[in-house]
Amino acid sequence: MSPTFGRLSQLALVVAGCAALACTRKAPADAVKTADTGAAKNTPPASAKKASPKAEDEPKGAPWAESTFSPRPGSVGDDRLSALLDACGPGDAALHLAAEAAATRQAETGAPMQLDEVSFELRRRGVPYVMPRMWAAETQTDGLSLLPEHIEHWAASAPLLGVRRCGVGVSERDGAIVVSVVAVDVLAELAPLRTEVEAGTRIEIGAQLAKAPTAASVVLLPPTGAPFSIEAELQRGGLHASYTPTAPGQWLVQIMATHVGGPRPVAQAIVSVGEPPPAAFAQAEVPGESAFNEQAAPDDALFALLNAARREHDLHPLRRNQTLDRVAAEHCRAMNARGQVSHDTGAGDPARRVEEAGLRPQATGENVALAASVPRLHRVLWASPSHRENTLLRRWDEAGVAVVQKDDGSLLATEVFIDR
């Protein structure tokens, strides 16, 4: 999101690649083992059984959808799973495929897929929705009837931001069944956007935004270099923008919309220019990550990653401001108490909170994120065009950082930036 300098400047919210720490617990009668998000690891064994022919290509090598668009309403296609889908919400055909990939991964490795890889599966399947949540369970066939109650409770545990849509997938191995549920809150529907184009092809970006946003923008993250915003037209909830990419590689398109809680990503797509899209999810080290010190306090460690990333891009490091640290900490606690990740939890937007703390900067910015660890917080922020734009904004002088641990072990983070 391009900066609007003044009282309120850069804002960026938790992105689609955010992840929460795995939480495994026993259901009544020890019939079901569940996890609310988690980490995927290890190489899948070749002997894993699949629930259906579609899963033969999962989780690597599945073809990319020709276009990214929504909605794609669809039933789950497996009568055993109909009650599970009903417990979550209306189904989406592409979300079902992503959930099936996640279930297959867990059946093969024994660990739930991390949400950054879930987000990759969404992009591969042509799903523009952001901020997915995932729930997984391991059970036997006779345990499936116990799952709807747990899924309904899980789905209702997070505030509903838009229209909820869900996908349910299943995979079987050695007599056990793994069920994965992916849920998203829809705040925008994207018009078809091709996933692969030749360099110099003009792309048209169109979306219908929910909840009558007060502002909207499009941020592009090119294969190399800094993210940037392009001009977008907003009329009666409809957004339109266009751009002609020339650099070969993967371009990330992110639509931002401003509602009561501040601006947030509402849709994303990957457009591969002049080359095929990536064949598989790859998790490479991002700028600044090598500076991680696992012995440091989480907020100190995240601040060090922030400055290390700036140094790698020939930008001056930011000074730590204790007042901003307190502002960030209060916001983390408020987000944790309300069970939401946003820029305004009732105490005002970042600029107002900074001013009430006694500071009068020329401009204020904020990043907020949720992830399983400090390095993942940094990756989440780096992967989002609007967050990265904030991280690399040259005019920032000082920053405050706070990290709060949630009951499930995941981490909430707030970074507050100011220009003195």
Side-chain angles (χ1 to χ4, degrees):
M1 179 179 54
S2 61
T4 303
F5 300 127
R7 179 175 177 271
L8 178 61
S9 182
Q10 290 281 86
L11 295 176
L13 188 69
V14 60
V15 69
C18 68
L21 190 66
C23 175
T24 303
R25 56 194 180 276
K26 291 288 185 180
D30 290 338
V32 184
K33 184 171 68 175
T34 67
D36 181 358
T37 76
K41 56 184 179 182
N42 303 330
T43 301
S47 60
K49 297 178 182 178
K50 306 296 191 295
S52 68
K54 290 182 181 178
E56 293 292 335
D57 295 326
E58 297 296 339
K60 295 183 178 180
W64 279 69
E66 291 187 359
S67 299
T68 300
F69 69 92
S70 63
R72 304 180 191 221
S75 62
V76 70
D78 186 331
D79 291 341
R80 298 176 301 170
L81 306 181
S82 296
L84 310 187
L85 180 60
D86 291 342
C88 180
D92 180 278
L95 287 177
H96 294 322
L97 294 174
E100 186 176 287
T104 301
R105 170 61 59 84
Q106 183 166 342
E108 293 172 337
T109 67
M113 183 183 283
Q114 277 280 6
L115 279 181
D116 47 3
E117 187 169 359
V118 173
S119 295
F120 175 82
E121 286 298 328
L122 297 186
R123 303 298 160 255
R124 188 209 299 266
R125 304 297 186 176
V127 180
Y129 303 139
V130 299
M131 295 180 284
R133 300 169 60 216
M134 193 183 78
W135 180 93
E138 299 177 24
T139 186
Q140 304 296 320
T141 301
D142 57 2
L144 287 174
S145 62
L146 299 174
L147 298 185
E149 180 181 354
H150 294 280
I151 294 173
E152 185 174 6
H153 175 77
W154 166 78
S157 65
L160 185 61
L161 301 177
V163 176
R164 181 157 296 149
R165 291 212 179 92
C166 301
V168 181
V170 65
S171 184
E172 301 181 45
R173 178 188 171 100
D174 299 332
I177 296 177
V178 174
V179 175
S180 290
V181 181
V182 177
V184 294
D185 288 351
V186 179
L187 288 168
E189 302 290 7
L190 187 70
L193 180 62
R194 292 192 62 82
T195 55
E196 189 173 354
V197 300
E198 294 298 323
T201 302
R202 189 174 185 83
I203 59 174
E204 303 292 334
I205 304 164
Q208 190 64 38
L209 309 183
K211 293 191 172 182
T214 57
S217 62
V218 175
V219 186
L220 300 180
L221 179 59
T224 60
F228 58 93
S229 299
I230 61 174
E231 185 176 349
E233 180 182 1
L234 179 63
Q235 288 187 351
R236 297 181 180 179
L239 175 142
H240 179 264
S242 60
Y243 186 74
T244 304
T246 56
Q250 276 67 58
W251 288 68
L252 180 61
V253 179
Q254 185 180 70
I255 297 176
M256 301 285 294
T258 301
H259 300 95
V260 174
R264 66 173 63 239
V266 295
Q268 287 190 172
I270 291 177
V271 178
S272 292
V273 177
E275 62 182 47
F281 175 74
Q283 188 163 277
E285 191 173 89
V286 303
E289 191 173 346
S290 60
F292 175 61
N293 179 4
E294 62 180 354
Q295 303 302 320
D299 56 338
D300 295 336
L302 186 58
F303 182 73
L305 298 182
L306 165 66
N307 267 339
R310 290 178 62 88
R311 289 190 184 96
E312 288 189 32
H313 283 75
D314 298 322
L315 295 169
H316 63 272
L318 303 179
R319 298 186 298 272
R320 189 84 176 263
N321 184 305
Q322 292 185 350
T323 300
L324 294 179
D325 281 346
R326 290 193 291 271
V327 172
E330 290 173 1
H331 190 60
C332 278
R333 289 192 290 269
M335 289 193 295
N336 192 28
R338 292 174 66 97
Q340 69 181 67
V341 183
S342 68
H343 293 293
D344 189 347
T345 59
D349 60 37
R352 177 179 175 181
R353 288 184 270 113
V354 167
E355 289 179 0
E356 289 183 347
L359 301 177
R360 295 294 183 270
Q362 297 183 52
T364 301
E366 184 176 78
N367 283 344
V368 292
L370 169 69
S373 65
V374 170
R376 283 192 173 276
L377 284 170
H378 184 62
R379 289 179 187 175
V380 163
L381 295 170
W382 189 259
S384 165
S386 49
H387 289 77
R388 192 186 302 189
E389 191 177 21
N390 243 353
T391 299
L392 300 179
L393 192 60
R394 185 176 295 275
R395 76 173 294 173
W396 298 139
D397 301 315
E398 301 178 359
V401 176
V403 178
V404 168
Q405 188 174 48
K406 293 169 59 68
D407 290 341
D408 64 2
S410 59
L411 303 178
L412 277 168
T414 300
E415 298 174 341
V416 182
F417 309 92
I418 62 170
D419 172 13
R420 283 287 199 177

